[in-house]
Every structure is written in C-alpha cells, then in structure tokens.
C-alpha cells in the first residue's frame, strides 16, 4: 500500500504550507488569464458611443480640474518650465494605474463568488488579470501623455524646459513595482473582506485620502516646505516615491534617489508577499465564510 | 487490482460553523491562532455534531462530512445518492477543489473536472463564440482544445445562427444549451457531474442525458454522478454510495444502494405523527406511512406498495355517523385524490383501532405529497383535522416518463387501454 503513494497526480488535503504558489498550474491556465484580460478590456465600454475614448477622457478632465484648482487658484508651483497640466497628467496617470489595480483586485472574492463557488482554477489568475488589464489601460493613457508632451514641446508658446532623464530606462521597473504594490494591497484587502466586511467601507474613501498623501497634485518639495512637521507621512509613502520618480524620469522634476527607490521596492515586495500569503490562505476556504 | 484505483478518498471530513459570522468569529479565530502557535490542535475540531438539521444541537459547529472513505476504479461510474443536506454537494465541492477539506485527503491519478453548474463565467456582453472560449478556459481547457472542438460545440448547442451575437440577446434556453455544450465537450480523466445539469426543454434534455450516457459509457472515463433521480442512477452507474448526515451509510451495487436508500429510514421523520395530547374521547392517536413490510418510511418507489396507517380511538357516540377521510395534495396544493369511509361499515364496537389504507399501486407519479386527515361527524362535529403532519415522496424508479425532466405529467398515471391497429 505505502509504496503506491508516489504515483498520485495530486492530493487534495487541508492546506498547511504558507506559500503554495503552483507556477506550473498558473502557466497551464495562461489562456484563461489572457481571455480574462480580453474580457475586461472589451466589455467595459460595450454599448457606449465613445467606447475606448473614455480611457482618455477621465484622466484629461481630472488633470484640467486639478490644474485649475491647485495651480491656477491655489498657486501650487510645479517646477521651472514644466506646464502644470503636464505635471498633473503625469501624476494622475500613474496614480490611476495604482488605484485601479488596488480597487480592482480588492473585490476579487466578493465579485467572483459565484464563479469561485462552482469551478476551480488558480484563484490568483483573477487579480493578475486585473493588473494586466490596467497595464493595457495605462499604456493607452501613457500615449495620451506623450501626445500632450509633444504638443507642449513643439506647438505651445510657453517655454518648456522639461526633458526626460536618462533614468527613464527604469520606467518598466517602476511600473512593475507599482503593479506589485496595488496587487499586494488588493489581495490583502480582498482576503480580509471575505470574513470581515468592514474593510470594504475603508477602501472607498481610504483610496481617495491616500491620493492626497501621495504627492499626486503637488511636488513633494513644496509639501516639505509648507508642512515640515507632517511631511514624513508623505515622504515615506511608497506611492509618493513612485510618482515623484515617474515625474523625474519623464519631466525632470521631482525627488529621485537610489536609496528611496530601494526602500520603496523593498516595501512593495514585502506587501506583495504578505498579500500572496494571505490570499493563498483565504482562497481555499473563503467560499465557506463569505 | 490495486493499480486500477484512480481516486481515493481517505477519512475526509468537513466542518462548518453555524450561525452568523459576527463579533464572536474574531474571538474564535484568535483562539485558534493562539493554539496553533503553541503547536496544539485546533480546539474547535474536537467539538461538532453530525449534521442532522431537524434537531437543534448545542454546538455551533457541525460536520457536513465525517470520515468519508471510498475508492473509485478506472473507468467506473459511481453514483452518489442521499437526500438534501446529506453532504453530497459538500463532497462535490471538495472533489472539485472549490473548497478544502477540514481533515483527510483525496488522492487522484487523473485530472478532475466538475460540472456543478453550467454557464459559469458567461459574460452577457460577449458573443457566443467569445463565451465558449472563456467558459472553456474556466473549465480548464486550453485555447487549442477549444478551437479544435468549436464546430462540434456549436453544432451540439444548436445556436449556429446566434454564435456571433452577444449572449444577453439569447433566450435563457439558448444560453443553457450553449453552456451545456461547452461542458459536455470537456475531456478530463475524472468527471464529476451533478444531475441538475440536465436542463432545457424536453428535446434538449434527451440530448443532454444521452450525451452524459455516452460520456459515462465511453472507454476509460471515470465518472462520479450525483443525483436524486434513481432511474438515472440505475441506468448510468455501476456502483453507488449512499450518504446520510455526512457519513456513508451504504456502499455497493447500484440496485442494492437504491433499494437501501428507499428502504432506509432516511426520510421517516416526516412520515410519522404521534398525537401527544389526545382527547380522552374519540381522537386520532397516530398516523404513519408504511411500506409492504409495515416499516415506517416517507420514501417510496413508483411501484411500491404504499399504506397509510391511522390509529384512532372510537367512542360509542360517534359509532353510527362518524367518518374518517383523507386527502392527498401535491406540492402545489392541488388535491390529487380523496377517500373517505363511514365508520359503521367497518366497526361495530367502540375501542382503539388501526385503520390501514392501501393506495392503488403504480398510480401516483414521482413527486412530493402531503396527507390531510379528517376525523369527523359530517356536517356536525369536527373531531380532529391534521394538515401538515404527514409527507411522503415517491421516487423515480423507472416510470415511462423518467427520461424527461421539468415536464409536468400531472400526479397520477392511469392504466389506459392502448391499441394499435394497422390501417
């Protein structure tokens, strides 16, 4: 009897391991991942007239409003030779990517209850598909950003001295880090909400508050100058570093140092790992508690 | 012999917590976590009761499944039967990895695919074709596999014309057809099927059951089939297990299992009534449904003998004009038939009597029925009326109608005189 145990294909048992990420299985389900991404992208704006144009409209209008209120009215400086509209667009685009990753993954279990209750597939496929979907959106929005950049440099009368820095080669890494942070936080929140619904309320206004603490519509240096006592809240927020770094890479303004990047990367990876562990623990039995 | 075993379930148990998830949950969670870091056993695993819904237990934890053991051989079609709440669905969920077991293991040598419900993950905004890809991928097929079976799937569903139209424009029947078509073309080593799959109109059901039969009969395919339909179990399965309150109470040949299920006291709690506060004069003392061996049961096969037994006390004053009657109602509150007797035709002396009422055989079709009993002096005095005390069910054990589902054939089948004469 005992020598037979070796040739079982797999064993279903109560979960004990901390991280039980079956990469082979995820690879097997890669088609599903792609189909989910496709579904997410094409179904969002089905039966709308403007269709994918909505991807552009939302960040554009937010940037215009931000420019009017924070720069024209409240006179927040955006740096020498950097149009405040471009400054805001850079911040909003990146912030949106993080925000959508976070909110999109944070209701993984609640939203897919019906599906998860009936069929098995590696659950992590769903949050992954959300992040990939947002990556597509982000890419489209980056195009808009580049478009306006070109417009300001070549066709605008205002003097634009903003220049992309050589550090821009690290942009893909920055995007990956941002995705990891959103995914990690989202997985933690989605796992916790299966049992304790309290977090659902936190996330809706928490994300909004977090935006004000992430240097989206103001430069970190200005915040430090005005509110030196509480500036550490913004300074040690990993999203601040990411957004500042993004603006430094593309516009040449902002706070960028290797030490801070390293710190942020570590934090993001840590949060991602915690998210993975919590998600992993939840996925096997959440259907009983949700 | 042993080499043939493809699936092995060992001491499988699943515990559920009853009641609301509330503030107490956090306390229990912390307690659990505390005993785990001290290396002790989960304190809540020791408690827990068997999952008998009808009695109120004193523990918040119940075992939906307790120490289930069975083996399935390569190519075998195993039926899993039991009444609602016996643990069938929980077992299916664990087998299909939707939820994990509390203790115990399932070992398998093949890929398990389960059809607990068709059409999971269908997106109304996407076209039929896109949904076939998505649904197939969710069920574990690769894009290549789906591509190669696409024509077959579309043909089976009978939705050729609508295949490039968003699913939200489909009739509900078409959606189900398409969904079933995808599911039916899965190709795993072990297939877990829930009987509720047979959906749609009569024509499509025939097709669906036929397809399931094909799947089950094809070489080397191992199937676990869960059903309430005893006729389907009998025709598809070679072996069956019977579950009750989360434990296996029978395992063996399908015919024996079906008989055991019907004969066991699985459902006798609804088929027996004892009047705990009888009047001192005339009254009904006890009512029960009996099978041919005079055992109490609420489950009958279609061609079983069904007897309603009423124990009553008859006093002098009502001997002459008193009568006892009953009505059989179906679950839609329609009265199926009634019957009544005048007591003086049967008894001449006061006393306590057992009245045995044998129903005509093979007349009531498979369904749930309710018995209403009246003991009275017509138009003068009600002695006792019993409304909601006795229920019984007739199981499908092979009527001519067993191949259809969801079609209303009424409640009784009558022995009509058929003939065929060549022109």
């Amino acid at each position: 009897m005992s020598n037979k145990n070796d040739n079982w294909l797999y064993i279903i048992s109560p979960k004990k391991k901390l991280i039980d990420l079956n990469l082979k299985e995820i690879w097997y389900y890669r088609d599903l991942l792609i189909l989910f991404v496709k579904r997410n992208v094409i179904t969002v704006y089905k039966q709308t007239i403007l269709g994918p144009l909505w991807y552009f409209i939302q960040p554009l209008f937010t940037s215009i409003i931000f420019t009017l209120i924070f720069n024209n009215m409240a006179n927040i400086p955006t740096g020498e030779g950097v149009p405040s509209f471009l400054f805001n667009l850079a911040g909003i685009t990146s912030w949106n990517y993080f925000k959508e990753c976070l909110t999109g993954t944070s209701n993984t279990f609640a939203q897919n209850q019906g599906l998860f209750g009936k069929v098995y597939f590696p659950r992590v496929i769903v949050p992954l598909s959300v992040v990939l979907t947002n990556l597509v959106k982000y890419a489209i929005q980056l195009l808009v950003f580049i478009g306006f950049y070109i417009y300001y440099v070549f066709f605008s009368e205002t003097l634009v001295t903003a220049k992309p820095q050589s550090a821009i080669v690290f942009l893909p890494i920055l995007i990956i880090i941002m995705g990891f942070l959103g995914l990690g936080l989202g997985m933690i929140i989605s796992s916790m909400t299966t049992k304790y619904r309290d977090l659902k309320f936190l996330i809706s206004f928490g994300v909004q508050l977090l935006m004000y603490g992430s240097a989206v519509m103001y430069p970190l240096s200005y915040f430090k100058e005005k509110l030196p006592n509480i500036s550490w809240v913004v300074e040690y927020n990993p999203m601040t570093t990411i957004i500042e770094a993004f603006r430094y890479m593309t516009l040449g303004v902002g706070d960028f140092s290797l030490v801070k990047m390293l710190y942020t990367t570590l934090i993001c990876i840590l949060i991602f790992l915690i998210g993975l562990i919590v998600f992993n623990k939840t996925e096997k039995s959440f259907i009983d508690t949700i | 012999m042993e080499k043939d075993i493809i699936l092995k379930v060992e001491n499988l148990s699943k515990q559920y917590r009853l009641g609301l998830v509330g503030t107490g949950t956090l306390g229990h969670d912390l307690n659990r976590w505390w005993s785990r870091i001290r290396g002790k056993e989960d304190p809540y695993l020791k408690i827990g009761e068997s999952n008998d819904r009808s009695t109120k237990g004193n523990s918040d934890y119940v075992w939906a499944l307790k120490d289930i053991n069975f083996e399935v051989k390569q190519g075998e079609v195993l039926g899993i039967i039991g009444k609602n709440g016996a643990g069938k669905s929980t077992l299916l969920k664990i087998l299909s990895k939707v939820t994990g077991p509390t203790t115990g293991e399932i070992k398998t040598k093949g890929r398990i695919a389960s059809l607990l419900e068709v059409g999971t993950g269908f997106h109304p905004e996407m076209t039929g074709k896109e949904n076939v890809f998505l649904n197939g991928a969710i069920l574990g097929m690769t894009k290549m596999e789906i591509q190669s079976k696409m024509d077959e799937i579309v043909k089976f569903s009978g939705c050729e014309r609508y295949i490039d139209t968003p699913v939200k424009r489909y009739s509900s029947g078409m959606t189900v057809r398409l969904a079933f078509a995808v599911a039916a073309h899965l190709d795993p080593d072990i297939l877990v099927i829930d009987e509720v799959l047979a959906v749609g109109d009569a024509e499509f059901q025939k097709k669906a059951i036929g397809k399931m039969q094909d799947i089950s009969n094809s070489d080397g395919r191992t199937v676990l089939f869960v059903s309430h339909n005893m006729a389907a179990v009998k025709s598809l399965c070679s072996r069956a297990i019977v579950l009750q309150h989360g434990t296996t109470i029978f395992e063996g040949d399908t015919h024996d299992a079906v008989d055991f299920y019907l004969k066991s006291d699985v459902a006798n709690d609804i088929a027996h009534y004892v009047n705990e506060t009888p009047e001192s004069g005339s009254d009904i003392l006890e009512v029960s449904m009996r099978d041919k061996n005079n055992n109490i049961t609420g489950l009958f096969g279609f061609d079983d003998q069904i007897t309603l037994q009423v124990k009553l006390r008859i006093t002098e004053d009502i001997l002459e004009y008193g009568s006892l009657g009953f009505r059989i109602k179906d679950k839609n509150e329609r009265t199926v038939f009634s019957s009544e007797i005048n007591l003086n035709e049967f008894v001449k002396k006061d006393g306590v009597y057992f009245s045995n009422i044998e129903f005509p055989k093979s007349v009531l079709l498979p369904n749930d029925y309710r018995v209403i009993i009246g003991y009275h002096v017509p138009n003068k005095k009600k002695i006792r009326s019993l409304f909601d005390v006795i229920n019984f069910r007739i199981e499908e054990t092979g009527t001519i109608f067993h191949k259809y589902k969801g079609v209303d054939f009424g409640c009784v089948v009558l022995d009509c005189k058929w003939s065929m004469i060549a022109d």
Side-chain angles (χ1 to χ4, degrees):
Chain A
M1 276 297 268
S2 55
N3 58 345
K4 272 175 70 260
N5 285 353
D6 307 334
N7 49 20
W8 297 108
L9 188 69
Y10 62 86
I11 293 175
I12 303 172
S13 60
K15 199 165 240 178
K16 296 229 171 65
K17 270 186 275 180
L18 207 54
I19 299 186
D20 190 9
L21 195 63
N22 193 341
L23 287 172
K24 215 171 116 189
E25 198 178 41
I26 293 172
W27 177 244
Y28 179 85
Y29 277 93
R30 65 192 180 278
D31 287 335
L32 181 62
L33 179 63
I34 295 162
L35 283 164
F36 270 146
V37 173
K38 207 174 133 195
R39 179 194 69 180
N40 294 345
V41 173
I42 65 173
T43 57
V44 175
Y45 297 116
K46 273 262 167 101
Q47 236 183 47
T48 58
I49 296 169
L50 296 178
L53 274 182
W54 284 108
Y55 285 132
F56 309 144
I57 292 167
Q58 191 253 347
L60 280 186
F61 277 65
T62 320
S63 300
I64 291 171
I65 300 290
F66 276 15
T67 311
L68 284 175
I69 292 177
F70 293 104
N71 309 113
N72 296 6
M73 220 167 86
N75 289 321
I76 294 176
T78 53
E80 202 61 36
V82 178
S84 38
F85 175 76
L86 220 48
F87 178 91
N88 282 324
L89 194 58
I92 299 266
T93 311
S94 305
W95 173 257
N96 270 353
Y97 173 61
F98 165 76
K99 185 190 86 181
E100 307 247 310
C101 285
L102 174 58
T103 50
T105 49
S106 70
N107 55 12
T108 303
F109 287 114
Q111 209 171 42
N112 294 286
Q113 199 180 341
L115 187 58
F116 286 0
K118 296 296 177 194
V119 208
Y120 173 81
F121 52 86
R123 305 309 190 204
V124 79
I125 294 272
V126 174
L128 271 182
S129 78
V130 173
V131 172
L132 284 183
T133 309
N134 286 317
L135 199 61
V136 175
K137 262 198 232 173
Y138 186 53
I140 296 174
Q141 291 178 350
L142 268 185
L143 286 180
V144 180
F145 176 71
I146 293 168
F148 274 95
Y149 206 111
I150 293 170
Y151 166 80
Y152 271 109
V153 172
F154 294 103
F155 304 101
S156 161
E157 278 135 45
T158 44
L159 181 71
V160 178
T161 53
K163 271 203 305 278
Q165 307 292 310
S166 56
I168 201 160
V169 291
F170 295 115
L171 188 63
I173 295 174
L174 194 67
I175 294 168
I176 291 171
I177 291 172
M178 222 181 333
F180 268 43
L181 184 63
L183 184 63
L185 278 178
M187 287 201 293
I188 294 173
I189 291 166
S190 71
S191 308
M192 307 281 259
T193 37
T194 59
K195 218 166 187 181
Y196 305 105
R197 299 274 166 95
D198 311 55
L199 276 165
K200 205 172 64 186
F201 302 105
L202 183 74
I203 185 107
S204 51
F205 77 92
V207 167
Q208 216 167 359
L209 291 187
L210 198 61
M211 180 171 80
Y212 290 96
S214 302
V216 176
M217 64 291 268
Y218 54 83
L220 176 63
S221 52
Y222 187 66
F223 193 93
K224 273 163 131 176
E225 183 191 319
K226 287 278 173 185
L227 298 161
N229 291 332
I230 55 162
S231 66
W232 59 271
V233 178
V234 179
E235 204 174 349
Y236 290 105
N237 176 349
M239 265 322 279
T240 307
T241 318
I242 291 171
I243 287 176
E244 286 277 309
F246 180 78
R247 280 196 294 242
Y248 173 77
M249 287 172 185
T250 53
L251 298 171
V253 287
D255 183 64
F256 180 78
S257 73
L258 220 57
V259 181
K260 269 195 175 165
M261 268 328 284
L262 220 59
Y263 154 80
T264 305
T265 312
L266 279 177
I267 292 279
C268 290
I269 289 173
L270 192 70
I271 287 176
F272 175 72
L273 282 179
I274 293 173
L276 209 58
I277 291 170
V278 178
F279 189 87
N280 192 52
K281 226 178 108 41
T282 310
E283 67 168 12
K284 210 159 188 189
S285 61
F286 92 99
I287 208 76
D288 307 330
T289 52
I290 198 159
Chain B
M1 258 323 254
E2 281 213 351
K3 219 165 49 185
D4 289 329
I5 291 166
I6 191 164
L7 181 84
K8 194 169 177 179
V9 176
E10 285 176 342
N11 299 320
L12 194 73
S13 298
K14 175 83 183 171
Q15 191 185 50
Y16 278 115
R17 186 174 197 272
L18 295 180
L20 293 169
V21 175
T23 40
T25 329
L26 189 59
H28 281 203
D29 280 354
L30 291 175
N31 200 349
R32 223 178 238 142
W33 172 75
W34 176 234
S35 47
R36 199 172 53 220
I37 52 171
R38 283 180 303 164
K40 290 202 174 159
E41 219 183 309
D42 188 336
Y44 297 103
L45 278 187
K46 289 179 204 149
I47 55 177
E49 298 169 338
S50 88
N51 189 18
D52 187 348
R53 272 173 304 163
S54 46
T55 53
K56 177 108 177 110
N58 40 29
S59 167
D60 265 354
Y61 291 88
V62 290
W63 293 99
L65 288 177
K66 184 86 181 146
D67 296 329
I68 301 281
N69 284 289
F70 65 87
E71 288 174 348
V72 186
K73 294 200 185 81
Q74 171 85 43
E76 194 171 42
V77 183
L78 179 78
I80 298 168
I81 47 188
K83 71 168 177 176
N84 291 338
K88 299 186 303 274
S89 307
T90 309
L91 182 59
L92 283 196
K93 277 186 178 168
I94 296 174
L95 277 170
S96 49
K97 296 209 278 181
V98 164
T99 181
T102 310
T103 58
E105 278 182 347
I106 297 174
K107 295 171 178 172
T108 162
K109 280 182 192 152
R111 281 177 49 81
I112 303 179
S114 60
L115 301 182
L116 302 192
E117 196 179 88
V118 292
T120 25
F122 262 41
H123 195 293
E125 297 285 353
M126 298 207 298
T127 69
K129 202 172 221 156
E130 287 168 335
N131 268 312
V132 169
F133 276 110
L134 185 63
N135 191 234
I138 288 174
L139 292 173
M141 286 195 263
T142 60
K143 209 172 170 181
M144 290 259 289
E145 270 178 84
I146 306 166
Q147 192 80 62
S148 65
K149 285 179 183 164
M150 194 61 173
D151 291 340
E152 228 180 306
I153 292 173
V154 175
K155 192 152 171 279
F156 187 84
S157 71
C159 300
E160 280 99 334
R161 186 156 190 186
Y162 281 78
I163 203 68
D164 292 316
T165 307
V167 164
K168 65 176 174 180
R169 308 262 176 258
Y170 282 32
S171 75
S172 53
M174 270 173 16
T175 318
V176 164
R177 279 155 171 267
L178 188 63
F180 183 86
V182 182
H185 289 82
L186 273 175
D187 218 10
D189 305 314
I190 304 169
L191 190 62
V192 181
I193 312 181
D194 199 340
E195 173 234 7
V196 287
L197 275 179
V199 278
D201 58 16
E203 180 211 357
F204 190 71
Q205 269 172 29
K206 231 162 89 187
K207 216 166 153 184
I209 288 180
K211 182 78 190 173
M212 281 195 220
Q213 235 145 5
D214 286 353
I215 294 173
S216 319
N217 294 339
S218 66
D219 254 3
R221 182 68 60 86
T222 312
V223 181
L224 301 184
F225 184 66
V226 175
S227 180
H228 280 124
N229 185 334
M230 293 304 135
V233 172
K234 271 185 178 172
S235 72
L236 290 176
C237 308
S238 49
R239 214 158 60 83
I241 59 174
V242 183
L243 293 181
Q244 186 191 1
H245 300 327
T247 48
T248 323
I249 51 170
F250 188 88
E251 185 179 353
D253 176 72
T254 311
H255 285 268
D256 297 342
V258 170
D259 281 350
F260 181 86
Y261 171 61
L262 295 181
K263 295 288 172 317
S264 69
D265 56 358
V266 175
N268 71 4
D269 48 334
I270 52 163
H272 190 199
Y273 165 79
V274 179
N275 189 351
E276 266 147 21
T277 52
E279 302 285 326
S280 55
S282 297
D283 203 352
I284 294 172
L285 305 173
E286 216 177 307
V287 188
S288 56
M289 300 298 300
R290 308 264 172 168
D291 66 6
K292 64 173 188 284
N293 302 322
N294 207 30
N295 295 321
I296 296 171
T297 174
L299 272 179
F300 297 92
F302 170 68
D303 38 18
D304 282 353
Q305 180 188 307
I306 305 169
T307 306
L308 171 66
Q309 187 182 76
V310 183
K311 186 182 178 187
L312 71 170
R313 186 184 294 122
I314 304 172
T315 48
E316 198 80 63
D317 55 316
I318 60 149
L319 250 181
E320 195 170 348
Y321 297 112
S323 72
L324 178 69
F326 70 90
R327 268 182 289 159
I328 302 291
K329 284 198 171 198
D330 71 359
K331 53 187 174 205
N332 301 324
E333 294 296 305
R334 275 188 309 189
T335 301
V336 180
F337 68 86
S338 312
S339 185
E340 181 157 317
I341 51 160
N342 292 320
L343 291 178
N344 62 14
E345 292 168 29
F346 290 86
V347 278
K348 299 290 169 224
K349 215 173 140 299
D350 61 332
V352 174
Y353 290 90
F354 283 102
S355 168
N356 286 314
I357 306 138
E358 200 178 300
F359 292 0
K361 253 190 184 176
S362 308
V363 167
L364 282 173
L365 279 170
N367 211 332
D368 289 319
Y369 297 99
R370 209 149 63 82
V371 186
I372 292 162
I373 297 163
Y375 182 21
H376 55 169
V377 180
N379 302 323
K380 245 184 152 175
K381 187 183 169 197
K382 257 188 197 157
I383 298 163
R384 175 74 66 182
S385 300
L386 297 173
F387 287 95
D388 275 316
V389 293
I390 295 288
N391 295 275
F392 66 96
R393 168 185 287 177
I394 301 202
E395 293 272 346
E396 179 59 82
T397 46
T399 63
I400 186 115
F401 305 123
H402 83 261
K403 29 193 186 296
Y404 315 109
K405 245 198 109 197
V407 185
D408 187 4
F409 290 102
C411 292
V412 293
V413 58
L414 295 177
D415 192 12
C416 303
K417 273 219 158 50
W418 284 65
S419 64
M420 297 266 192
I421 297 158
D423 190 11

